[in-house]
Amino acid sequence: MEKIIMKVKASLRKQVVVIGHDGSGKTSVLNSIAAYKGKFVTTPTAGVNALCVQNGTSKMEFLEIGGSEHLRPYWKMYLSRAFAVIFVVDSADHGRLPLAKRHLHQLIQQDALIPLMVLANKQDLKNAYHITDIHEALGLSDICENRKLFLIGTYATKEESEVSSGILDAKEFLAQLLSESSAKTS
């Protein structure tokens, strides 16, 4: 009986939860992952945005939760359904990085083993912090001891151009995590 319950529980963990502060570019990143194309008209996510991406035989479900202050308390509620978390941070918004660090650290304490992908977004902007600066500003060394952690620089492309290599890397790592997650539950 216990094995059956554990298998059902594990099969529910198929979503990638996408979080980050408002204006960090969560929706643009998600749209780029889904369509392999850039620049979509986006509006701030007022609640939850769900998206399913088919990649060959695998299917990834993304659940983006808005980043405004009144929605942040809900972030932790969705972790139990996730096989991974994507935390999107605006690399050019230096003033909000300490707050992003605090929210990220509070959130991931809820599940010490869930894989974490930090997307240092807006790397195409002149004043964007480099990946190593983002790693330090978010204190990622403090949280990666027992979990898989990926830090990838990304940006949403203009018009209908191809997506950045960071977006492609993110999608590839997520497919790998899904494959590993599926193998564990089989």
Side-chain angles (χ1 to χ4, degrees), residues 12-160:
L12 294 175
R13 295 176 67 99
K14 295 295 181 189
Q15 291 180 330
V16 177
V17 174
V18 182
I19 54 176
H21 289 160
D22 49 318
S24 61
K26 297 177 300 297
T27 304
S28 296
V29 165
L30 260 181
N31 287 337
S32 295
I33 287 173
Y36 290 109
K37 296 243 188 269
K39 199 67 175 179
F40 294 85
V41 176
T42 57
T43 57
T45 303
V48 175
N49 177 28
L51 184 67
C52 186
V53 176
Q54 192 78 26
N55 187 14
T57 58
S58 66
K59 180 173 87 169
M60 284 186 272
E61 297 173 14
F62 293 89
L63 188 63
E64 173 196 356
I65 300 131
S68 63
E69 192 171 338
H70 74 280
L71 291 173
R72 292 179 204 148
Y74 297 102
W75 289 354
K76 62 184 173 198
M77 293 174 45
Y78 294 94
L79 288 184
S80 64
R81 298 185 212 158
F83 75 88
V85 171
I86 295 177
F87 188 79
V88 182
V89 64
D90 182 342
S91 301
D93 193 352
H94 305 172
R96 290 180 81 188
L97 286 173
L99 184 62
K101 175 185 176 181
R102 189 177 86 218
H103 288 140
L104 175 61
H105 284 249
Q106 288 171 348
L107 178 75
I108 59 167
Q109 288 176 356
Q110 305 296 315
D111 187 332
L113 298 177
I114 194 165
L116 173 66
M117 180 177 294
V118 176
L119 298 182
N121 199 27
K122 303 185 183 181
Q123 286 289 304
D124 56 329
L125 299 180
K126 261 187 179 180
N127 62 336
Y129 274 166
H130 188 269
I131 294 293
T132 54
D133 299 322
I134 296 292
H135 189 278
E136 186 177 317
L138 294 178
L140 297 181
S141 296
D142 301 336
I143 59 175
C144 67
E145 189 174 310
N146 294 321
R147 83 176 68 243
K148 289 185 180 185
L149 173 69
F150 305 93
L151 173 59
I152 302 172
T154 61
Y155 58 90
T157 57
K158 309 290 185 259
E159 305 306 315
E160 289 292 312

